């Protein structure tokens, strides 16, 4: 009986530590981003501020992605990839968030610089 009680206490402590760690990481490492970085084939191809509304075209041969910045948020407006999952992902604005287009090997990442 005593062994079971200590197991329950140990499991409760582990769960509490996990919850506290999650909130600590969320509070200190998330935040509003200031810069958008676009990588293509693991190379930085564009970098621009998130607070300036503009549309950017990322091209590589027949592969095209259109990245739009509007009201401090970034989203993939259009892409000519077959699945368009990057377009369906929606907008991002916080530090560390990203949009990835696997068929075109494009990564749009928000950073806090």
């Amino acid at each position: 009986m005593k062994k079971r009680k200590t197991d329950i206490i140990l499991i409760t402590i582990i769960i509490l530590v996990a919850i506290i760690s999650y909130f600590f990481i969320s509070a200190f490492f998330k935040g509003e981003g200031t810069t958008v970085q676009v990588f293509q084939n693991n190379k930085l191809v564009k970098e621009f501020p998130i607070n300036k509304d503009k549309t950017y075209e990322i091209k590589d041969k027949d592969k095209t992605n259109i990245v739009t910045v509007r009201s401090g948020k970034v989203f993939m407006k259009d892409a000519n990839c077959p699945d368009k999952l990057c377009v369906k992902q929606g907008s991002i604005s916080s530090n560390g968030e990203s949009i990835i287009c696997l068929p075109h090997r494009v990564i749009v990442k928000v950073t806090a610089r």
Side-chain angles (χ1 to χ4, degrees), residues 21-40:
S21 298
Y22 171 77
F23 285 113
F24 177 77
I25 290 170
S26 294
F28 288 103
F29 294 107
K30 286 278 184 176
E32 291 304 310
T34 58
T35 306
V36 179
Q37 295 177 328
V38 180
F39 295 89
Q40 190 169 37

Side-chain angles (χ1 to χ4, degrees), residues 13 26 41 73 91 93 95 102:
I13 290 172
S26 294
N41 297 321
K73 295 184 181 210
S91 62
S93 62
N95 182 28
L102 283 177

Side-chain angles (χ1 to χ4, degrees), residues 4-103:
R4 187 175 293 212
K5 191 175 186 179
T6 56
D7 289 345
I8 293 172
I9 292 171
L10 181 63
I11 290 170
T12 305
I13 290 172
I14 290 172
I15 291 172
L16 285 174
V17 168
I19 291 170
I20 291 169
S21 298
Y22 171 77
F23 285 113
F24 177 77
I25 290 170
S26 294
F28 288 103
F29 294 107
K30 286 278 184 176
E32 291 304 310
T34 58
T35 306
V36 179
Q37 295 177 328
V38 180
F39 295 89
Q40 190 169 37
N41 297 321
N42 293 327
K43 294 179 185 169
L44 181 65
V45 292
K46 286 197 187 288
E47 187 172 46
F48 43 87
I50 197 168
N51 59 0
K52 184 177 178 187
D53 292 358
K54 193 169 180 183
T55 298
Y56 301 89
E57 185 176 63
I58 313 301
K59 272 190 118 158
D60 182 31
K61 298 177 185 168
D62 60 338
K63 302 172 183 176
T64 304
N65 293 73
I66 298 174
V67 178
T68 301
V69 179
R70 186 177 300 136
S71 302
K73 295 184 181 210
V74 182
F75 59 95
M76 191 80 67
K77 185 175 183 177
D78 193 24
N80 64 351
C81 56
D83 57 9
K84 296 196 187 296
L85 290 175
C86 54
V87 177
K88 296 174 187 173
Q89 186 171 344
S91 62
I92 58 175
S93 62
S94 297
N95 182 28
E97 292 182 325
S98 60
I99 298 172
I100 300 171
C101 180
L102 283 177

